[in-house]
Amino acid sequence: DFFEYKTKLYFLTHQDGTFEINPTQKSVKRIRFNTWESIYGYSAYTFNDSIYIARTHFNKNERHNLLRWQTDDYLTGVKPDSVEVQTVIWEFTHTPSNEMYMVCYGVHDESGGLYKLAGNKTVRMNEAMGIESNKLWDIKFDSVTNKLYIASLDKGLYVIDFNRVAAPNRYFS
């Protein structure tokens, strides 16, 4: 997954750490690798001066698979805080009111769905948002229309209108 910070571009790999891309020199340089942090990294997201790295949930001994750093701390090697989540986070987005949402797909189980960050925990939002799928793949909040778009692997595209309090809409199923 790619992320930008202070005009620099980085990418997270599945097993080999985080790299900085230098387009001028046409090179990449590994800037961070720690076996515990880096193993099975699935996605990265910057939000409110923090970076979130989501890892696999298949390590049954480790339930805290969403790691969080102040972004400067991540780049300098400081250990992370962690958030308990028991599924695989594929993508993140946030709303103008600073709510962070994540789409998840457990791959080999039914743990996926729409989750919202609530302090150091995640809260499953499927029922509250009218989402019937556990196999969510992508998410984007459109601040112009105030709508949340969620792509699933099995139930089509969900569109949640944050302008309305009533039940959300689902299209293209």
Side-chain angles (χ1 to χ4, degrees):
D1 215 351
F2 293 89
F3 63 95
E4 284 184 73
Y5 183 65
K6 292 185 178 176
T7 71
K8 293 185 178 180
L9 184 61
Y10 301 89
F11 67 93
L12 169 75
T13 64
H14 189 62
Q15 293 184 319
D16 296 317
T18 301
F19 293 78
E20 179 182 339
I21 299 171
N22 184 327
T24 306
Q25 296 179 354
K26 298 180 181 177
S27 65
V28 296
K29 176 177 82 172
R30 182 162 56 188
I31 55 112
R32 186 174 178 109
F33 178 78
N34 173 293
T35 302
W36 179 79
E37 295 167 4
S38 299
I39 197 71
Y40 304 123
Y42 277 86
S43 55
Y45 189 66
T46 54
F47 176 63
N48 286 345
D49 297 323
S50 293
I51 184 167
Y52 294 82
I53 304 289
R55 303 178 306 158
T56 184
H57 74 299
F58 297 121
N59 179 353
K60 299 300 181 192
N61 297 323
E62 183 56 57
R63 297 173 61 161
H64 292 255
N65 288 311
L66 179 57
L67 307 177
R68 174 180 48 212
W69 294 261
Q70 292 298 109
T71 308
D72 285 333
D73 290 345
Y74 178 75
L75 297 175
T76 59
V78 173
K79 289 188 175 189
D81 293 325
S82 62
V83 177
E84 186 171 339
V85 61
Q86 296 189 18
T87 188
V88 178
I89 300 168
W90 292 95
E91 291 295 336
F92 302 81
T93 196
H94 67 276
T95 67
S97 60
N98 284 328
E99 296 175 308
M100 188 168 81
Y101 289 91
M102 300 150 278
V103 290
C104 305
Y105 171 38
V107 183
H108 301 293
D109 61 34
E110 297 297 317
S111 65
L114 177 66
Y115 287 79
K116 179 180 173 180
L117 183 66
N120 284 331
K121 295 183 179 182
T122 55
V123 177
R124 193 163 190 271
M125 301 296 294
N126 280 43
E127 187 174 324
M129 298 289 195
I131 301 209
E132 300 168 358
S133 176
N134 292 325
K135 299 175 181 178
L136 302 182
W137 195 252
D138 206 355
I139 188 168
K140 182 68 177 169
F141 189 83
D142 182 345
S143 59
V144 173
T145 63
N146 211 29
K147 292 181 180 178
L148 183 65
Y149 293 88
I150 301 169
S152 75
L153 294 174
D154 59 348
K155 303 281 185 179
L157 176 68
Y158 292 90
V159 180
I160 299 171
D161 188 345
F162 276 58
N163 295 309
R164 298 183 340 175
V165 179
N169 296 322
R170 183 172 61 121
Y171 303 102
F172 310 117
S173 59

